[in-house]
Amino acid sequence: MRETLSRHYTNSGIGKLLVSNMKSTSPNSVLDMGIGTGCLTQYAIKRWTEAIFYGTDIDENLTDLLLKKFPTIKYFHIDGFSKKLPKTVQFNNGEIDVAICNPPYNEKVPINGYEELFELTGLSSLKNFKSVSGDLIFLAQNLRFLKPGGELGIIVPDSIITGHNFHNLRKNLLDNHSIDSIIELPDRVFHKTEAKAHIMTLRAHVSSDKPVYITSSNENGICDEALLVEKSRLVERMDFKFNSYHAHRYPPLSSGRPINYLDVDVSRGNRTKIDLEQKGVSYYHTTNINELDIKNAVYDGNPSNRTVKRGDVLLSRVGKRCLGKIEFINHDLPIEFSDCLYRIRFSRTSEAEIFYKKIKSTEGQDWLSAISHGTCSKVISKADLMNFKIP
Ligand SMILES: C[S@@+](CC[C@H](N)C(=O)[O-])C[C@H]1O[C@@H](n2cnc3c(N)ncnc32)[C@H](O)[C@@H]1O
């Protein structure tokens, strides 16, 4: 039950941070959809003492607890995915001043019937998916209830902030609403989940050219240095890790041409370490990059599209400690490589050598770390890697 309802309650440091970071001073109405035990509302009710509070949740066991804890709150036991929401609650579209939310995000929801909602809330790119995660339905529901200029503080999963699939959604958000801040939350901030998350605050249905405040927080809600980033730079990625790399570290990396423009093939191995082990052949994997015993190597004998050749570069694409480990192949044995590695094959050896040297440098390794996705086991996506620039 706990997991199916995505009840990863907000810890107190993060709840306090979400509310204190919002700009609204004296809203008339505050909505907390998926209120749970009120981890966010408890801070909001202290800050906005004059406001009328509304809470919704699908969990029927919460009613007594919430009414005891917050006697003045107007609580609705309803399904936040329902398309009929405005008929069930006591407020209409465009009426709420402030919304705070830590939505459920485990559930996959088919988008049939939500097209109008996505259109109404300026999130039309979501119509291109067959289904979306629950947090995106909650994002749209919150936006529908907010008045123009109303403020939303919402916890969103990393995929929305950094994923390639959500490039158009980020554009929708930047074009149709005014994002004020993005705060990257620490890994494992939600009990029992590895999912990475961010706090996003925005003003609904209004536009602004102001740069966005981007920072990161520890689990007590204490924030790092802040960056002010131009909106146009946030379509690619909105996270602090990526943007702070570009703001402070190595602006020269932005010079040169992405390898995408060169004649290069980036392939991932198609067998797991276990498959290769069972096959009884030598193979490259994250654990033996630069350490494979070539003299005693065992191999099938035939080069294939999953074996290496002289001049290839192998790169660890997943892992924590081994992410970015790299080897330049200097032999002619057709040895296979696991699905945890990319084989990068340039048609020109000179380009392979330049790439290898640059990506192996501290500058290159820092870049890989900045573009990586995920929590404990980091991943480098092929699309990101293709953006690496060489002179
Ligand atoms: C991630 S928890 C957040 C709870 C609380 N707001 C907090 O910050 O700790 C998500 C909440 O959404 C509720 N929920 C899950 N699915 C829902 C649905 N379809 N409609 C309404 N609430 C839902 C869960 O019961 C849970 O209380």
Side-chain angles (χ1 to χ4, degrees), residues 16-227:
K16 214 186 256 181
L17 172 65
L18 184 144
V19 171
S20 65
N21 184 49
M22 294 177 76
K23 292 186 173 159
S24 302
T25 48
S26 48
N28 291 322
S29 49
V30 178
L31 169 65
D32 184 348
M33 285 189 69
I35 183 172
T37 54
C39 301
L40 297 175
T41 286
Q42 63 180 324
Y43 296 107
I45 226 161
K46 279 188 201 144
R47 176 167 178 197
W48 297 304
T49 49
E50 303 294 313
I52 297 171
F53 278 80
Y54 299 101
T56 72
D57 206 287
I58 200 170
D59 186 348
E60 53 192 341
N61 300 322
L62 291 171
T63 314
D64 290 346
L65 180 146
L66 283 170
L67 293 178
K68 214 167 166 189
K69 219 168 159 183
F70 312 112
T72 55
I73 200 171
K74 294 181 191 305
Y75 176 65
F76 303 94
H77 167 225
I78 44 170
D79 180 356
F81 298 149
S82 163
K83 291 152 200 159
K84 300 187 200 114
L85 264 184
K87 289 200 179 120
T88 340
V89 290
Q90 276 177 9
F91 40 89
N92 293 312
N93 289 350
E95 273 193 7
I96 296 287
D97 291 312
V98 163
I100 49 179
C101 187
N102 178 8
Y105 48 85
N106 284 350
E107 217 154 324
K108 280 263 160 254
V109 186
I111 70 133
N112 291 351
Y114 289 108
E115 294 86 347
E116 214 177 301
L117 173 66
F118 295 152
E119 205 58 62
L120 176 78
T121 53
L123 306 179
S124 55
S125 66
L126 294 180
K127 291 194 294 187
N128 299 327
F129 294 93
K130 282 205 171 81
S131 62
V132 293
S133 49
D135 50 273
L136 288 170
I137 304 291
F138 268 55
L139 172 64
Q141 300 281 37
N142 274 293
L143 289 170
R144 79 147 24 135
F145 288 127
L146 282 166
K147 51 175 65 157
E151 189 177 17
L152 173 63
I154 185 166
I155 297 179
V156 290
D158 191 53
S159 52
I160 295 184
I161 299 296
T162 70
H164 293 288
N165 288 349
F166 293 112
H167 182 277
N168 289 338
L169 175 67
R170 290 192 286 279
K171 192 158 173 3
N172 281 168
L173 284 166
L174 289 159
D175 287 348
N176 301 323
H177 307 281
S178 174
I179 298 185
D180 288 325
S181 70
I182 307 281
I183 306 177
E184 186 166 329
L185 299 178
D187 291 354
R188 293 174 179 278
V189 71
F190 295 105
H191 185 55
K192 288 196 180 171
T193 168
E194 286 207 347
K196 189 162 180 63
H198 305 252
I199 297 174
M200 175 165 69
T201 61
L202 58 78
R203 298 268 173 185
H205 316 292
V206 289
S207 60
S208 144
D209 291 334
K210 282 197 190 146
V212 180
Y213 174 96
I214 309 266
T215 185
S216 72
S217 153
N218 68 14
E219 61 181 28
N220 299 320
I222 311 292
C223 289
D224 207 325
E225 57 171 340
L227 307 167

